[in-house]
mmCIF file of all heavy atoms in Angstrom:
data_model
loop_
_atom_site.group_PDB
_atom_site.id
_atom_site.type_symbol
_atom_site.label_atom_id
_atom_site.label_comp_id
_atom_site.label_asym_id
_atom_site.label_seq_id
_atom_site.Cartn_x
_atom_site.Cartn_y
_atom_site.Cartn_z
ATOM 1 N N LEU Y 70 -3.986 -3.039 1.752
ATOM 2 C CA LEU Y 70 -3.888 -1.590 1.789
ATOM 3 C C LEU Y 70 -4.770 -1.016 2.898
ATOM 4 O O LEU Y 70 -4.373 -0.062 3.585
ATOM 5 C CB LEU Y 70 -4.275 -0.998 0.444
ATOM 6 C CG LEU Y 70 -3.958 0.488 0.286
ATOM 7 C CD1 LEU Y 70 -2.456 0.722 0.279
ATOM 8 C CD2 LEU Y 70 -4.588 1.053 -0.990
ATOM 9 N N ALA Y 71 -5.949 -1.587 3.084
ATOM 10 C CA ALA Y 71 -6.820 -1.129 4.168
ATOM 11 C C ALA Y 71 -6.189 -1.403 5.525
ATOM 12 O O ALA Y 71 -6.300 -0.591 6.456
ATOM 13 C CB ALA Y 71 -8.191 -1.801 4.064
ATOM 14 N N VAL Y 72 -5.519 -2.546 5.652
ATOM 15 C CA VAL Y 72 -4.822 -2.873 6.903
ATOM 16 C C VAL Y 72 -3.725 -1.851 7.163
ATOM 17 O O VAL Y 72 -3.559 -1.355 8.288
ATOM 18 C CB VAL Y 72 -4.242 -4.300 6.847
ATOM 19 C CG1 VAL Y 72 -3.340 -4.567 8.048
ATOM 20 C CG2 VAL Y 72 -5.366 -5.329 6.797
ATOM 21 N N GLU Y 73 -2.966 -1.504 6.110
ATOM 22 C CA GLU Y 73 -1.904 -0.516 6.289
ATOM 23 C C GLU Y 73 -2.478 0.845 6.672
ATOM 24 O O GLU Y 73 -1.934 1.541 7.552
ATOM 25 C CB GLU Y 73 -1.068 -0.394 5.022
ATOM 26 C CG GLU Y 73 0.019 0.647 5.150
ATOM 27 C CD GLU Y 73 1.234 0.374 4.285
ATOM 28 O OE1 GLU Y 73 1.084 -0.324 3.258
ATOM 29 O OE2 GLU Y 73 2.322 0.853 4.641
ATOM 30 N N TRP Y 74 -3.559 1.232 6.041
ATOM 31 C CA TRP Y 74 -4.209 2.496 6.372
ATOM 32 C C TRP Y 74 -4.590 2.505 7.850
ATOM 33 O O TRP Y 74 -4.317 3.460 8.581
ATOM 34 C CB TRP Y 74 -5.418 2.686 5.483
ATOM 35 C CG TRP Y 74 -6.127 4.002 5.578
ATOM 36 C CD1 TRP Y 74 -5.997 4.955 6.551
ATOM 37 C CD2 TRP Y 74 -7.076 4.513 4.641
ATOM 38 N NE1 TRP Y 74 -6.819 6.017 6.291
ATOM 39 C CE2 TRP Y 74 -7.494 5.782 5.128
ATOM 40 C CE3 TRP Y 74 -7.631 4.026 3.462
ATOM 41 C CZ2 TRP Y 74 -8.451 6.557 4.450
ATOM 42 C CZ3 TRP Y 74 -8.577 4.808 2.789
ATOM 43 C CH2 TRP Y 74 -8.979 6.041 3.279
ATOM 44 N N ALA Y 75 -5.217 1.414 8.297
ATOM 45 C CA ALA Y 75 -5.625 1.325 9.705
ATOM 46 C C ALA Y 75 -4.409 1.364 10.628
ATOM 47 O O ALA Y 75 -4.428 2.033 11.680
ATOM 48 C CB ALA Y 75 -6.422 0.049 9.938
ATOM 49 N N ALA Y 76 -3.336 0.657 10.264
ATOM 50 C CA ALA Y 76 -2.143 0.632 11.108
ATOM 51 C C ALA Y 76 -1.509 2.012 11.211
ATOM 52 O O ALA Y 76 -1.127 2.463 12.303
ATOM 53 C CB ALA Y 76 -1.143 -0.376 10.557
ATOM 54 N N LEU Y 77 -1.377 2.722 10.078
ATOM 55 C CA LEU Y 77 -0.796 4.056 10.107
ATOM 56 C C LEU Y 77 -1.685 5.028 10.869
ATOM 57 O O LEU Y 77 -1.191 5.911 11.592
ATOM 58 C CB LEU Y 77 -0.557 4.561 8.682
ATOM 59 C CG LEU Y 77 0.489 3.804 7.860
ATOM 60 C CD1 LEU Y 77 0.612 4.416 6.466
ATOM 61 C CD2 LEU Y 77 1.841 3.786 8.554
ATOM 62 N N ASP Y 78 -2.979 4.883 10.719
ATOM 63 C CA ASP Y 78 -3.934 5.691 11.480
ATOM 64 C C ASP Y 78 -3.694 5.498 12.975
ATOM 65 O O ASP Y 78 -3.575 6.462 13.753
ATOM 66 C CB ASP Y 78 -5.346 5.269 11.079
ATOM 67 C CG ASP Y 78 -6.436 6.102 11.733
ATOM 68 O OD1 ASP Y 78 -6.128 7.099 12.399
ATOM 69 O OD2 ASP Y 78 -7.625 5.742 11.569
ATOM 70 N N HIS Y 79 -3.593 4.245 13.382
ATOM 71 C CA HIS Y 79 -3.401 3.923 14.797
ATOM 72 C C HIS Y 79 -2.036 4.400 15.289
ATOM 73 O O HIS Y 79 -1.928 5.013 16.363
ATOM 74 C CB HIS Y 79 -3.542 2.420 14.991
ATOM 75 C CG HIS Y 79 -3.530 1.978 16.413
ATOM 76 N ND1 HIS Y 79 -4.339 2.520 17.382
ATOM 77 C CD2 HIS Y 79 -2.764 1.042 17.059
ATOM 78 C CE1 HIS Y 79 -4.105 1.943 18.550
ATOM 79 N NE2 HIS Y 79 -3.149 1.051 18.384
ATOM 80 N N LEU Y 80 -0.991 4.164 14.516
ATOM 81 C CA LEU Y 80 0.356 4.535 14.945
ATOM 82 C C LEU Y 80 0.540 6.049 15.000
ATOM 83 O O LEU Y 80 1.257 6.562 15.871
ATOM 84 C CB LEU Y 80 1.390 3.922 14.007
ATOM 85 C CG LEU Y 80 1.564 2.406 14.129
ATOM 86 C CD1 LEU Y 80 2.440 1.881 13.001
ATOM 87 C CD2 LEU Y 80 2.152 2.041 15.480
ATOM 88 N N THR Y 81 -0.075 6.766 14.084
ATOM 89 C CA THR Y 81 0.022 8.219 14.121
ATOM 90 C C THR Y 81 -0.531 8.759 15.435
ATOM 91 O O THR Y 81 -0.049 9.765 15.965
ATOM 92 C CB THR Y 81 -0.715 8.832 12.917
ATOM 93 O OG1 THR Y 81 -0.077 8.398 11.705
ATOM 94 C CG2 THR Y 81 -0.711 10.346 12.960
ATOM 95 N N ALA Y 82 -1.514 8.025 15.999
ATOM 96 C CA ALA Y 82 -2.126 8.461 17.256
ATOM 97 C C ALA Y 82 -1.343 8.008 18.485
ATOM 98 O O ALA Y 82 -1.200 8.779 19.441
ATOM 99 C CB ALA Y 82 -3.564 7.935 17.334
ATOM 100 N N VAL Y 83 -0.840 6.762 18.492
ATOM 101 C CA VAL Y 83 -0.281 6.216 19.740
ATOM 102 C C VAL Y 83 1.230 6.062 19.736
ATOM 103 O O VAL Y 83 1.846 5.959 20.802
ATOM 104 C CB VAL Y 83 -0.923 4.847 20.084
ATOM 105 C CG1 VAL Y 83 -2.433 4.967 20.188
ATOM 106 C CG2 VAL Y 83 -0.533 3.777 19.067
ATOM 107 N N ALA Y 88 6.472 5.049 12.172
ATOM 108 C CA ALA Y 88 6.132 4.803 10.775
ATOM 109 C C ALA Y 88 5.888 6.157 10.098
ATOM 110 O O ALA Y 88 5.814 7.191 10.766
ATOM 111 C CB ALA Y 88 4.883 3.926 10.688
ATOM 112 N N PRO Y 89 5.755 6.169 8.785
ATOM 113 C CA PRO Y 89 5.378 7.424 8.139
ATOM 114 C C PRO Y 89 4.050 7.939 8.690
ATOM 115 O O PRO Y 89 3.133 7.163 8.965
ATOM 116 C CB PRO Y 89 5.247 7.037 6.658
ATOM 117 C CG PRO Y 89 6.082 5.811 6.508
ATOM 118 C CD PRO Y 89 5.960 5.084 7.804
ATOM 119 N N LEU Y 91 0.445 9.302 8.711
ATOM 120 C CA LEU Y 91 -0.685 9.204 7.793
ATOM 121 C C LEU Y 91 -1.234 10.594 7.488
ATOM 122 O O LEU Y 91 -1.501 11.383 8.401
ATOM 123 C CB LEU Y 91 -1.786 8.342 8.413
ATOM 124 C CG LEU Y 91 -3.080 8.217 7.601
ATOM 125 C CD1 LEU Y 91 -2.832 7.399 6.336
ATOM 126 C CD2 LEU Y 91 -4.187 7.578 8.437
ATOM 127 N N LEU Y 138 7.676 0.821 18.415
ATOM 128 C CA LEU Y 138 6.416 0.318 17.868
ATOM 129 C C LEU Y 138 5.699 -0.558 18.883
ATOM 130 O O LEU Y 138 4.499 -0.396 19.140
ATOM 131 C CB LEU Y 138 6.705 -0.468 16.586
ATOM 132 C CG LEU Y 138 5.595 -1.364 16.032
ATOM 133 C CD1 LEU Y 138 4.406 -0.531 15.599
ATOM 134 C CD2 LEU Y 138 6.111 -2.205 14.865
ATOM 135 N N THR Y 142 2.264 0.351 21.455
ATOM 136 C CA THR Y 142 0.978 -0.257 21.083
ATOM 137 C C THR Y 142 0.519 -1.363 22.026
ATOM 138 O O THR Y 142 -0.574 -1.906 21.847
ATOM 139 C CB THR Y 142 1.039 -0.822 19.654
ATOM 140 O OG1 THR Y 142 2.082 -1.813 19.571
ATOM 141 C CG2 THR Y 142 1.315 0.282 18.647
ATOM 142 N N PHE Y 149 -6.759 -0.067 17.796
ATOM 143 C CA PHE Y 149 -6.511 -0.619 16.463
ATOM 144 C C PHE Y 149 -7.793 -1.213 15.888
ATOM 145 O O PHE Y 149 -8.047 -1.098 14.688
ATOM 146 C CB PHE Y 149 -5.408 -1.671 16.521
ATOM 147 C CG PHE Y 149 -4.998 -2.198 15.173
ATOM 148 C CD1 PHE Y 149 -4.658 -1.338 14.145
ATOM 149 C CD2 PHE Y 149 -4.946 -3.561 14.928
ATOM 150 C CE1 PHE Y 149 -4.278 -1.810 12.899
ATOM 151 C CE2 PHE Y 149 -4.570 -4.054 13.683
ATOM 152 C CZ PHE Y 149 -4.240 -3.176 12.667
ATOM 153 N N ALA Y 152 -9.636 1.586 14.420
ATOM 154 C CA ALA Y 152 -9.030 2.021 13.162
ATOM 155 C C ALA Y 152 -9.385 1.055 12.035
ATOM 156 O O ALA Y 152 -9.648 1.483 10.897
ATOM 157 C CB ALA Y 152 -7.516 2.123 13.321
ATOM 158 N N ARG Y 153 -9.385 -0.235 12.317
ATOM 159 C CA ARG Y 153 -9.792 -1.217 11.311
ATOM 160 C C ARG Y 153 -11.259 -1.020 10.929
ATOM 161 O O ARG Y 153 -11.612 -1.076 9.741
ATOM 162 C CB ARG Y 153 -9.579 -2.639 11.844
ATOM 163 C CG ARG Y 153 -8.126 -3.088 11.876
ATOM 164 C CD ARG Y 153 -8.012 -4.510 12.439
ATOM 165 N NE ARG Y 153 -8.812 -5.460 11.705
ATOM 166 C CZ ARG Y 153 -8.404 -6.148 10.631
ATOM 167 N NH1 ARG Y 153 -7.166 -5.984 10.198
ATOM 168 N NH2 ARG Y 153 -9.201 -6.991 10.018
ATOM 169 N N ARG Y 156 -12.062 1.487 8.381
ATOM 170 C CA ARG Y 156 -11.726 1.087 7.010
ATOM 171 C C ARG Y 156 -12.654 -0.001 6.492
ATOM 172 O O ARG Y 156 -12.411 -0.595 5.444
ATOM 173 C CB ARG Y 156 -10.266 0.591 6.946
ATOM 174 C CG ARG Y 156 -9.269 1.605 7.413
ATOM 175 C CD ARG Y 156 -8.923 2.624 6.337
ATOM 176 N NE ARG Y 156 -10.021 3.396 5.798
ATOM 177 C CZ ARG Y 156 -10.540 4.488 6.380
ATOM 178 N NH1 ARG Y 156 -10.106 4.905 7.528
ATOM 179 N NH2 ARG Y 156 -11.529 5.147 5.792
ATOM 180 N N LEU Y 158 -13.086 -2.906 7.807
ATOM 181 C CA LEU Y 158 -12.555 -4.228 8.109
ATOM 182 C C LEU Y 158 -13.182 -4.751 9.391
ATOM 183 O O LEU Y 158 -13.610 -3.968 10.243
ATOM 184 C CB LEU Y 158 -11.035 -4.153 8.306
ATOM 185 C CG LEU Y 158 -10.205 -3.683 7.113
ATOM 186 C CD1 LEU Y 158 -8.780 -3.376 7.566
ATOM 187 C CD2 LEU Y 158 -10.203 -4.732 6.014
ATOM 188 N N LEU Y 209 0.852 -4.156 18.469
ATOM 189 C CA LEU Y 209 0.825 -4.170 17.011
ATOM 190 C C LEU Y 209 2.097 -4.834 16.489
ATOM 191 O O LEU Y 209 3.211 -4.377 16.759
ATOM 192 C CB LEU Y 209 0.711 -2.754 16.452
ATOM 193 C CG LEU Y 209 0.409 -2.703 14.951
ATOM 194 C CD1 LEU Y 209 -1.004 -3.212 14.678
ATOM 195 C CD2 LEU Y 209 0.565 -1.294 14.405
ATOM 196 N N VAL Y 210 1.916 -5.907 15.754
ATOM 197 C CA VAL Y 210 3.021 -6.660 15.153
ATOM 198 C C VAL Y 210 3.117 -6.274 13.685
ATOM 199 O O VAL Y 210 2.123 -6.338 12.954
ATOM 200 C CB VAL Y 210 2.779 -8.174 15.307
ATOM 201 C CG1 VAL Y 210 3.824 -8.965 14.534
ATOM 202 C CG2 VAL Y 210 2.796 -8.564 16.768
ATOM 203 N N ASP Y 230 5.610 -0.323 5.329
ATOM 204 C CA ASP Y 230 4.864 -1.461 4.777
ATOM 205 C C ASP Y 230 4.169 -2.275 5.860
ATOM 206 O O ASP Y 230 4.629 -3.355 6.262
ATOM 207 C CB ASP Y 230 5.792 -2.350 3.951
ATOM 208 C CG ASP Y 230 5.023 -3.329 3.077
ATOM 209 O OD1 ASP Y 230 3.771 -3.315 3.135
ATOM 210 O OD2 ASP Y 230 5.654 -4.125 2.374
ATOM 211 N N PHE Y 231 3.011 -1.792 6.298
ATOM 212 C CA PHE Y 231 2.247 -2.425 7.365
ATOM 213 C C PHE Y 231 1.057 -3.228 6.835
ATOM 214 O O PHE Y 231 0.054 -3.384 7.522
ATOM 215 C CB PHE Y 231 1.769 -1.363 8.361
ATOM 216 C CG PHE Y 231 2.855 -0.882 9.284
ATOM 217 C CD1 PHE Y 231 3.772 0.073 8.873
ATOM 218 C CD2 PHE Y 231 2.971 -1.401 10.571
ATOM 219 C CE1 PHE Y 231 4.778 0.516 9.725
ATOM 220 C CE2 PHE Y 231 3.977 -0.975 11.426
ATOM 221 C CZ PHE Y 231 4.876 -0.013 11.004
ATOM 222 N N GLU Y 232 1.163 -3.758 5.630
ATOM 223 C CA GLU Y 232 0.054 -4.493 5.033
ATOM 224 C C GLU Y 232 -0.298 -5.766 5.793
ATOM 225 O O GLU Y 232 -1.417 -6.270 5.691
ATOM 226 C CB GLU Y 232 0.382 -4.846 3.577
ATOM 227 C CG GLU Y 232 0.499 -3.642 2.665
ATOM 228 C CD GLU Y 232 0.887 -4.036 1.248
ATOM 229 O OE1 GLU Y 232 0.739 -5.226 0.905
ATOM 230 O OE2 GLU Y 232 1.329 -3.154 0.495
ATOM 231 N N ARG Y 233 0.650 -6.306 6.554
ATOM 232 C CA ARG Y 233 0.407 -7.554 7.290
ATOM 233 C C ARG Y 233 0.298 -7.307 8.795
ATOM 234 O O ARG Y 233 0.374 -8.246 9.592
ATOM 235 C CB ARG Y 233 1.529 -8.558 7.000
ATOM 236 C CG ARG Y 233 1.585 -8.977 5.540
ATOM 237 C CD ARG Y 233 2.746 -9.927 5.250
ATOM 238 N NE ARG Y 233 2.784 -10.283 3.856
ATOM 239 C CZ ARG Y 233 3.372 -9.560 2.908
ATOM 240 N NH1 ARG Y 233 3.980 -8.436 3.244
ATOM 241 N NH2 ARG Y 233 3.347 -9.940 1.649
ATOM 242 N N ALA Y 234 0.131 -6.069 9.188
ATOM 243 C CA ALA Y 234 0.095 -5.740 10.613
ATOM 244 C C ALA Y 234 -1.133 -6.350 11.291
ATOM 245 O O ALA Y 234 -2.210 -6.439 10.708
ATOM 246 C CB ALA Y 234 0.084 -4.223 10.794
ATOM 247 N N SER Y 235 -0.934 -6.758 12.543
ATOM 248 C CA SER Y 235 -2.036 -7.332 13.315
ATOM 249 C C SER Y 235 -1.732 -7.175 14.795
ATOM 250 O O SER Y 235 -0.595 -6.916 15.189
ATOM 251 C CB SER Y 235 -2.223 -8.820 12.986
ATOM 252 O OG SER Y 235 -1.072 -9.559 13.361
#
Side-chain angles (χ1 to χ4, degrees):
L70 191 67
V72 171
E73 178 152 25
W74 186 345
L77 294 180
D78 184 7
H79 187 51
L80 288 171
T81 297
V83 303
L91 176 69
L138 165 65
T142 59
F149 185 52
R153 285 179 56 89
R156 302 278 58 82
L158 298 168
L209 191 68
V210 173
D230 194 359
F231 283 81
E232 294 177 17
R233 296 177 181 85
S235 63

